[in-house]
């Protein structure tokens, strides 16, 4: 689960760096737009990377950004699946990764491992002792 988030984050950062470099060195129609797009994609890639780090350390806050990343990945995968050529396999991989990560993030075992309490449940006796 953390690995899938890290993989998605790394792919976004690499894609953003590529966009940024091509905006600086290539011949885009709008260099400013290409550079800003690259910086935006890099920033978006940092979110799943930080979430992956939090998941590895079993931090409860990391589940939210990880869930949001996977939910956002589904429409992106749909767009890739509706395109042509090499983007279709990329869409298949992305939808498989997103659905797998979503399943892992909502499993009761994951919720328990991250220390997330369900609404209306009392905290454990061990956690209230000083």
């Amino acid at each position: 689960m953390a690995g899938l988030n890290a993989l998605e984050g790394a792919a976004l950062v690499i894609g953003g760096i590529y966009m940024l470099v091509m905006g600086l060195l290539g011949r885009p129609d709008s260099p400013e737009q290409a550079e800003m797009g690259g910086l935006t994609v890099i920033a978006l890639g940092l979110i799943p990377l930080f979430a992956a780090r939090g998941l590895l350390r079993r931090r409860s806050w990391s589940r939210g950004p990880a869930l949001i990343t996977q939910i956002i990945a589904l429409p992106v995968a749909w767009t890739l699946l509706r395109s042509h050529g090499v983007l279709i396999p990329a869409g298949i991989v992305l939808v498989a990764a997103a659905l797998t990560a979503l399943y892992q993030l909502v499993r009761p075992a994951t919720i328990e491992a991250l220390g997330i309490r369900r609404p209306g449940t009392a905290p454990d006796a061990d956690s209230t002792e000083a």
Side-chain angles (χ1 to χ4, degrees):
M1 163 178 53
L4 288 174
N5 275 279
L7 183 64
E8 290 169 343
L12 283 169
V13 169
I14 290 168
I17 291 171
Y18 176 78
M19 288 174 64
L20 185 61
V21 169
M22 295 315 298
L24 293 170
L25 304 177
R27 296 187 181 186
D29 292 336
S30 172
E32 295 83 10
Q33 187 175 11
E35 293 161 9
M36 186 53 77
L39 290 173
T40 301
V41 172
I42 290 169
L44 290 174
L46 294 177
I47 296 169
L49 288 174
F50 285 126
R53 185 172 185 249
L55 289 169
L56 281 174
R57 294 178 174 208
R58 294 186 177 179
R59 304 287 192 246
S60 61
W61 63 262
S62 62
R63 185 171 175 253
L67 281 168
I68 291 168
T69 298
Q70 304 316 317
I71 291 169
I72 291 172
L74 291 174
V76 173
W78 177 254
T79 302
L80 293 173
L81 288 171
R82 295 182 46 93
S83 65
H84 303 286
V86 73
L87 296 177
I88 294 173
I92 293 169
V93 170
L94 182 57
V95 76
L99 289 175
T100 300
L102 276 171
Y103 169 74
Q104 292 295 326
L105 288 165
V106 299
R107 288 181 48 220
T110 302
I111 294 168
E112 183 179 330
L114 292 174
I116 299 170
R117 292 185 302 123
R118 295 177 186 225
T121 59
D124 293 338
D126 296 335
S127 65
T128 58
E129 294 178 19

